Every structure is written in structure tokens, then in C-alpha cells.
Amino acid sequence: MFDAISWRPCETAADLRAHFRLRREVFVVEQAVDIALEFDEADFDDATLAYVGYSGTGETVAAGRALAPEDGHIHLGRLAVARQWRGRGVGRQLVECGEHYARLKWGKLPFALSAQTHAIGFYERLGYVLVPGEPYLDAGIPHRDMIKQP
């Protein structure tokens, strides 16, 4: 299903370190998100499903997480692709992989995510639709809520 990249849930300390390292690189370094906002209590909750993708040479190429169902939705978030891997279909795989692992863990439920406004079209192509409402700032970056039905 995910040919070019080896995907797996973060079940080892090494996987979790790789996951956190990539999120720090993308959100804290590239997007200037305060590190105190990027990492939160959900990162240390046993119910959170963190996952990571590696290249054939072992390079960390993408990371994401899914939060346990709340309000009837599985929440995908902290979706990060390493700069040198962008534009190669990795983002699509990242979202689809998160959906796959989340369904295995929690069943067939709708998904929700908070999309940076520049990425709305990307998520729409993956079947997500905007929730009515205005853009809002999250860590100083404009976002919109989106959902995807099972």
C-alpha cells in the first residue's frame, strides 16, 4: 500500500525519537512554532498513535499522529514531511497511512484535522471537506477545520 516508504507505528524509542526530531525540524525550525506549543500532553498519552515513515536508506521522511476518537472523530495531526521529500507524494502517503493505522486501532470513524490554510486544497484532494467557520490562528499560523467521512 505504501511502496516507496517503510511506514510503521512508533513502537520503539528510536521510532519515537525520529518522529519527534522530524516534527521539530518542520514545525519548530522551519515554521517557527514555539516548541512548547508543538509538543503537548497527547505526545505522552498511551492512546495517541504516533507513526513514522523511513526511506530505503533509513532516513526519516515523514511523521504524524492520530488522537483517540473524540466527539466521534479520529483526529489526525502533526503531519510533517521532510523538506527534501516534499512534492513526491509523501504527504498523501502520510495521511493515508495515518487513516489506515487509526482504522485498525479504532474502527471506521470519521476523521478530523486542523489544516494550515495553504494546504486546504491538498486535503480536499484526499476527501476532506471544510467545516463551516472562519480561519483561526494555531501557533500563529492560519488554520481551518476539516473532516472526512468513512
Side-chain angles (χ1 to χ4, degrees):
M1 179 189 253
F2 306 109
D3 303 319
I5 297 167
S6 171
W7 295 96
R8 62 179 175 242
C10 294
E11 295 176 342
T12 68
D15 286 341
L16 204 52
R17 279 192 304 274
H19 170 94
F20 288 149
R21 193 169 36 251
L22 183 61
R23 282 178 42 198
R24 182 183 179 284
E25 176 186 316
V26 171
F27 296 117
V28 177
V29 175
E30 287 182 32
Q31 296 184 1
V33 170
D34 184 323
I35 197 164
L37 297 175
E38 174 54 27
F39 299 100
D40 59 23
E41 63 280 350
D43 287 316
F44 306 99
D45 185 333
D46 289 339
T48 298
L49 170 66
Y51 60 103
V52 65
Y54 297 102
S55 70
T57 61
E59 177 185 4
T60 308
V61 300
R65 75 179 189 186
L67 303 181
E70 210 174 276
D71 301 329
H73 293 84
I74 298 167
H75 292 263
L76 293 184
R78 305 306 204 266
L79 303 169
V81 175
R83 178 179 284 163
Q84 63 273 26
W85 285 86
R86 294 178 197 152
R88 297 161 72 173
V90 175
R92 177 182 201 84
Q93 289 183 40
L94 175 65
V95 173
E96 291 174 350
C97 182
E99 292 172 348
H100 172 76
Y101 285 131
R103 282 193 181 112
L104 289 176
K105 186 168 183 164
W106 295 300
K108 195 172 182 179
L109 293 170
F111 289 96
L113 56 79
S114 179
Q116 292 185 8
T117 55
H118 71 84
I120 288 171
F122 166 76
Y123 291 113
E124 286 176 330
R125 288 188 295 278
L126 296 177
Y128 286 81
V129 296
L130 287 169
V131 172
E134 295 297 316
Y136 57 90
L137 293 179
D138 185 0
I141 301 169
H143 283 72
R144 288 286 307 271
D145 289 333
M146 302 185 81
I147 59 170
K148 180 179 181 178
Q149 296 301 323

